[in-house]
């Protein structure tokens, strides 16, 4: 992972996150921060392109076999969700040029000397960053290094902070999944079905999506409401860190971890 990092004069974003949080939700959070705008624009452009390719003057995409009422919708329903999801997940590989600091890549995780130098240089990385990106969970303000990064940023007199709650990311993913499933069902349900049957099949997924999204939103709001209490009651003596939480033993390799 460290080999993928590079030396730069300036860092666009310093990613502050808790190692206690799963990698998948943090990846999705970063996709939402950096790729969502490109995904929305890409799917809109795909819709326009698909429409043009179906015109009689072009006729690249066949639609003669489709009923009149969905002739210009079928390919849009099929292509746009795929373009949106692929762009949302992979845009950073081709179109995102921002330089970000992620500790797992920018601090050596196996060489003890390089790791120590990286940790000791955290304040320097923060000083040369333009924005602090906080991937927040309810555990964020209980973690020693997370609070250190946030406090250092405030001490430097910086104000640019992107606050991305993981709970909100999960809710957005649920809604996106619901829309995607709805469009796919709209595409694969036989067009010869009667209107009532088609409607029931299309909306059958929405009660589940709505209940799940409501539950997750309520939990997210409860977590956010704890921020003020966590800030006012924070104590360094009670703060947690990765090494102490794992008994100073790496959970995968079994090697000893020096205490932070």
């Amino acid at each position: 992972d460290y080999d993928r990092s590079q030396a730069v004069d300036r860092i666009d974003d310093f990613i502050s996150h808790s190692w206690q949080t799963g990698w998948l939700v943090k990846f999705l959070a970063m996709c939402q921060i950096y790729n969502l705008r490109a995904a929305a624009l890409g799917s809109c452009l795909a819709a326009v392109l698909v429409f043009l390719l179906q015109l009689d003057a072009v006729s690249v995409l066949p639609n003669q076999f489709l009923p009149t009422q969905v002739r210009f919708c079928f390919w849009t329903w099929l292509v746009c969700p795929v373009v949106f999801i692929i762009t949302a997940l992979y845009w950073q590989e081709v179109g995102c040029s921002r330089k970000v600091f992620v500790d797992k890549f920018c601090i050596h995780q196996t060489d003890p000397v390089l790791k120590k130098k990286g940790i000791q240089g955290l304040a320097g990385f923060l000083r040369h960053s333009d924005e602090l990106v906080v991937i927040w969970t309810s555990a964020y303000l209980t973690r020693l290094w997370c609070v250190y990064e946030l406090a250092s940023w405030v001490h430097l007199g910086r104000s640019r902070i992107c606050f991305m709650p993981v709970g909100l990311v999960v809710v957005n993913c649920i809604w996106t999944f619901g829309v995607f499933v709805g469009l796919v069902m709209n595409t694969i349900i036989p067009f010869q079905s009667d209107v009532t049957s088609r409607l029931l099949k299309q909306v059958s997924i929405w009660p589940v999506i709505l209940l799940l999204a409501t539950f997750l939103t309520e939990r997210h709001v409860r977590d956010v409401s704890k921020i003020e209490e966590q800030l006012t009651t924070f104590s360094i003596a009670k703060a947690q860190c990765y090494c102490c939480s794992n008994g100073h033993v790496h959970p995968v390799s079994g090697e000893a971890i020096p205490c932070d």
Side-chain angles (χ1 to χ4, degrees), residues 69 186 189-202:
Q69 65 270 24
N186 212 29
I189 292 174
F191 294 109
Q192 292 75 19
S193 302
D194 62 274
V195 175
T196 303
S197 175
R198 285 178 55 79
L199 183 62
L200 288 175
K201 290 177 181 178
Q202 290 178 47

Side-chain angles (χ1 to χ4, degrees), residues 36 38-48 50 73-90 175-188:
L36 191 60
L41 180 60
S43 59
C44 289
L45 292 176
V48 174
V50 166
C73 300
F74 175 82
W75 288 108
T76 303
W77 290 338
L78 194 63
V79 172
C80 289
V82 175
V83 171
F84 180 89
I85 290 176
I86 291 177
T87 307
L89 294 178
Y90 296 105
W175 283 118
T176 303
F177 174 76
V179 172
F180 179 76
V181 170
L183 290 173
V184 169
M185 292 179 68
N186 212 29
T187 303
I188 64 177

